[in-house]
Amino acid sequence: MNAIEETKKHEIVLTNKENLHITGIKKLESMNKEEFILDTVCGYLVVGGVNLEMASLDIDNGKIHIKGVVHKLEYSHKKEKTKEKSFLAKVFKWFQY
């Protein structure tokens, strides 16, 4: 047994690109309608798609259920920055012109 198996099992089940069940979740870092960033026992997982919404979340048992059209599942060893910019970043960009 390796270290991942000793702590928690990590599984991804995607049904018809619209129902995503994931186990081995440690933390939900961020979420919006187009992207979820999850800290899993295997590293950070970025879920991208359209009209994504959290159907259920059970951090104690490391489970999440996401509904919507899933286009991307991508692992990273570090937390990805979301594409969304803060209100202040948008204002300062406007003043640069």
Side-chain angles (χ1 to χ4, degrees):
M1 234 189 223
N2 64 28
I4 292 173
E5 290 173 330
E6 289 175 11
T7 55
K8 284 190 178 181
K9 193 174 183 181
H10 179 56
E11 292 181 331
I12 297 175
V13 177
L14 178 61
T15 307
N16 296 327
K17 288 182 65 177
E18 294 181 354
N19 277 303
L20 179 61
H21 294 267
I22 305 172
T23 63
I25 302 297
K26 297 192 304 185
K27 184 178 179 184
L28 172 62
E29 291 288 336
S30 68
M31 63 176 263
N32 60 44
K33 292 272 187 194
E34 297 176 346
E35 183 177 77
F36 278 63
I37 299 177
L38 307 164
D39 186 5
T40 76
V41 295
C42 292
Y44 287 97
L45 175 62
V46 178
V47 178
V50 178
N51 295 323
L52 299 177
E53 61 182 55
M54 183 171 42
S56 66
L57 175 65
D58 182 356
I59 290 293
D60 293 336
N61 291 308
K63 298 178 181 180
I64 190 168
H65 175 201
I66 300 171
K67 289 184 177 182
V69 180
V70 176
H71 293 296
K72 172 178 89 169
L73 295 169
E74 181 178 37
Y75 284 96
S76 174
H77 289 292
K78 52 187 165 180
K79 189 166 98 174
E80 299 287 327
K81 292 186 178 183
T82 58
K83 298 174 193 171
E84 229 175 86
K85 294 184 179 179
S86 70
F87 173 74
L88 287 176
K90 291 176 186 175
V91 169
F92 286 124
K93 183 178 179 182
W94 184 77
F95 281 116
Q96 289 178 355
Y97 293 105

